[in-house]
């Protein structure tokens, strides 16, 4: 995923989390609850995104998506997932 400057600005402006549709703070890449599930170094890349380079944020979003996939897959494997 590569973000253009426009996509980054749009993502920063919107108040919906792109991942879970919870409300998020303007300027953040993901909502608080999604960010809280990420390791601190990944979380920092998705905060105050208008100050960041679009490609950095795009990469951070992709990393976050991978992290969520792996995390929720392993939760499902152990039978604890609440997804659907
Ligand atoms: Zn979220």
């Amino acid at each position: 995923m590569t973000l253009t400057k426009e996509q980054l600005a749009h993502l920063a402006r919107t108040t919906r989390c792109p991942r879970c549709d919870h409300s998020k703070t303007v300027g953040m890449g993901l909502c608080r609850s999604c960010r809280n599930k990420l390791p601190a170094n990944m979380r920092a890349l998705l905060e105050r995104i208008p100050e960041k380079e679009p490609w950095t944020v795009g990469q951070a979003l992709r990393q976050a998506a991978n992290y969520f996939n792996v995390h929720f897959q392993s939760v499902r494997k152990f039978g604890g997932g609440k997804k659907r």
Side-chain angles (χ1 to χ4, degrees):
M1 187 188 332
T2 317
L3 291 181
T4 63
K5 273 204 186 298
E6 252 173 39
Q7 288 172 314
L8 179 76
H10 178 76
L11 178 64
R13 235 186 1 249
T14 181
T15 53
R16 274 284 174 85
C17 173
R19 208 190 148 256
C20 68
D21 282 348
H22 285 169
S23 58
K24 71 170 185 61
T25 314
V26 169
M28 301 293 172
L30 294 171
C31 71
R32 183 189 295 267
S33 107
C34 286
R35 278 183 289 119
N36 279 344
K37 290 175 190 143
L38 294 170
N41 60 326
M42 285 165 70
R43 195 187 312 151
L45 293 171
L46 292 163
E47 291 173 349
R48 290 185 297 281
I49 56 171
E51 298 165 18
K52 307 223 153 75
E53 290 296 324
W55 70 267
T56 324
V57 178
Q59 202 173 46
L61 280 175
R62 196 175 49 207
Q63 274 178 359
N66 283 340
Y67 180 86
F68 284 128
N69 275 341
V70 170
H71 180 76
F72 286 113
Q73 256 166 32
S74 61
V75 170
R76 267 199 299 275
K77 263 181 215 155
F78 293 110
K82 274 191 195 162
K83 251 193 159 182
R84 83 183 66 200

